[in-house]
Amino acid sequence: MKNRWITAKAFFSFLSFSKVANFLQLYFSFHLSRWLGKPILWGQPTTLSIEPTTSCNLRCPECPSGLRSFTRPTGMLQDGLFERIITQTRNRLTWLHLYFQGEPFLNPRFLEMVSFANSAGIFTSTSTNAHYLSESTVQKILSSGLRQLIVSMDGVTQVVYEKYRVGGNLEKVEKGLRLLLKERKAQGKMFPRVILQFLVTGQNEHQIPELKAWSQEVGVDELQLKNTQIYDYEEGSELIPSDLGYSRYIPDGKGKWKLKKKIENKCWRMWQGAVVTWDGKVVPCCFDKDARHVMGNLQDQSMQEIWESPSYFSFRDQLLQDRSQIEICRNCTE
């Protein structure tokens, strides 16, 4: 609870009257849209996820970066485009997650982008597989202003870890994580807050007690046990844990599997914020990994033009009418 309060305090310190007013506009227009059954939109995005790169050093089985299965182009976000996006959105943006697909630390300008967003008064976070936490990188992280670092680690032994993080080296992850926490303490800093994220699967669920002890010993700020998204879940998968409390899916009673949570005709994410690919495409959410629903491109359009475009309103309208008809929504827990 203390660690979450520290993060919340940092988040609130970045807020301004314009950011709070914008959030309230979005919030009330979302609920009004649900009541009326048609999209009403007041305000601009309060959160963004921006993709530093689609490249990745690992080959995780349920990830298009790992599978090298994208049909969209792969590449690196250029800092000129990034700075234009931040300049456009800084007065209303409350949270920036510098991650979508890929491993962000593979972009050589990644931490410079973090610093730019931090200097613009925006709370920053990212997700990493933690294979690039070297001494020089750790120092840059600590001086970048990054507020939250999510480390994905799905096993506490190499044998189990590499079943999902294919090609990964658990010893390297642990060494880098310990180094970051040691240097943060030595410098008397509180950020970034380190969240250890564990995708619970049928292959690693037996390690949860050991994981909890390990995370306390290492000294991470928070441990998150996360359910795993599986693309072809209907026929079952060895990735579905036996403890269905950690699963997105349950048996349907007919020999198949189904989503545990019913898909409702609403989605706060469509009012809250958007996702931007490395080459400037704006897509509705993180479930659109292959960018099949492109609402516009920030290379030649403004965020406001895209956010208020007919295609975006049409997408929101479909959500309110029958969300089950949108393919990327069929495996969503929102």
Side-chain angles (χ1 to χ4, degrees):
M1 183 63 71
K2 178 183 176 182
N3 288 316
R4 290 191 177 186
W5 169 243
I6 292 171
T7 302
K9 187 177 179 181
F11 172 75
F12 286 122
S13 71
F14 282 105
L15 294 183
S16 63
F17 176 81
S18 61
K19 292 181 180 183
V20 173
N22 180 65
F23 175 85
L24 292 174
Q25 285 182 305
L26 292 169
Y27 181 81
F28 286 117
S29 63
F30 167 65
H31 286 286
L32 181 61
S33 298
R34 290 187 60 199
W35 182 59
L36 295 175
K38 64 179 182 179
I40 306 295
L41 182 67
W42 303 321
Q44 298 296 307
T46 186
T47 65
L48 283 179
S49 293
I50 302 180
E51 178 178 70
T53 181
T54 43
S55 300
C56 191
N57 54 311
L58 303 185
R59 292 183 173 271
C60 304
E62 293 293 325
C63 172
S65 289
L67 295 170
R68 313 304 196 254
S69 63
F70 285 122
T71 61
R72 64 183 173 100
T74 59
M76 298 277 179
L77 173 66
Q78 299 302 303
D79 50 358
L81 173 61
F82 176 76
E83 290 175 10
R84 289 202 305 275
I85 297 170
I86 297 303
T87 301
Q88 284 182 33
T89 60
R90 61 181 295 175
N91 291 331
R92 293 172 177 171
L93 199 61
T94 59
W95 191 296
L96 173 65
H97 192 50
L98 265 165
Y99 174 78
F100 178 27
Q101 298 298 299
E103 168 52 49
F105 282 92
L106 287 174
N107 187 318
R109 306 296 294 275
F110 168 64
L111 289 172
E112 293 176 36
M113 296 177 192
V114 172
S115 295
F116 183 83
N118 179 67
S119 65
I122 301 168
F123 185 100
T124 53
S125 67
T126 193
S127 299
T128 179
N129 58 47
H131 280 71
Y132 298 96
L133 300 182
S134 63
E135 287 190 21
S136 61
T137 304
V138 162
Q139 296 304 322
K140 291 176 182 176
I141 291 171
L142 293 172
S143 61
S144 69
L146 183 69
R147 289 301 190 261
Q148 187 179 84
L149 181 70
I150 300 170
V151 175
S152 298
M153 196 192 86
D154 311 315
V156 292
T157 60
Q158 179 63 28
V159 172
V160 172
Y161 172 78
E162 67 185 3
K163 285 183 178 180
Y164 191 83
R165 301 287 163 182
V166 179
N169 184 319
L170 182 59
E171 182 180 357
K172 192 172 185 179
V173 172
E174 181 177 355
K175 182 179 178 182
L177 191 53
R178 288 182 183 274
L179 175 64
L180 173 61
L181 292 167
K182 177 184 176 182
E183 285 300 307
R184 190 185 73 177
K185 182 178 181 180
Q187 295 183 26
K189 295 188 174 182
M190 301 181 69
F191 301 100
R193 308 307 290 173
V194 177
I195 297 175
L196 189 66
Q197 191 173 87
F198 189 89
L199 290 179
V200 181
T201 71
Q203 300 167 335
N204 65 18
E205 61 184 317
H206 64 285
Q207 291 194 327
I208 290 176
E210 188 179 351
L211 169 73
K212 290 179 178 178
W214 186 90
S215 64
Q216 285 187 336
E217 188 270 319
V218 172
V220 299
D221 300 305
E222 185 178 342
L223 172 63
Q224 290 183 353
L225 301 177
K226 187 177 179 182
N227 52 45
T228 305
Q229 180 189 5
I230 301 169
Y231 286 111
D232 299 317
Y233 62 84
E234 291 90 349
E235 300 297 327
S237 168
E238 63 181 357
L239 294 176
I240 298 177
S242 58
D243 184 346
L244 296 182
Y246 294 117
S247 174
R248 295 188 186 193
Y249 315 101
I250 56 174
D252 68 356
K254 302 175 184 177
K256 302 282 187 179
W257 290 77
K258 65 179 182 179
L259 274 177
K260 180 189 294 184
K261 190 174 181 180
K262 181 182 177 182
I263 297 176
E264 298 183 53
N265 294 331
K266 63 175 183 175
C267 184
W268 164 234
R269 292 186 186 189
M270 294 307 103
W271 277 255
Q272 178 190 45
V275 175
V276 183
T277 64
W278 69 270
D279 52 351
K281 297 184 182 73
V282 176
V283 298
C285 82
C286 60
F287 277 80
D288 193 6
K289 295 178 173 61
D290 210 18
R292 297 185 183 276
H293 299 273
V294 178
M295 301 298 159
N297 197 311
L298 290 165
Q299 298 274 14
D300 49 32
Q301 295 172 276
S302 70
M303 178 60 76
Q304 183 171 356
E305 286 177 316
I306 297 170
W307 187 243
E308 298 174 354
S309 66
S311 59
Y312 226 140
F313 266 90
S314 177
F315 192 87
R316 295 185 185 101
D317 185 57
Q318 179 63 61
L319 282 167
L320 295 171
Q321 302 308 317
D322 187 359
R323 188 170 163 222
S324 65
Q325 297 303 306
I326 302 175
E327 183 179 356
I328 61 172
C329 296
R330 293 174 187 162
N331 198 1
C332 177
T333 56
E334 172 71 18

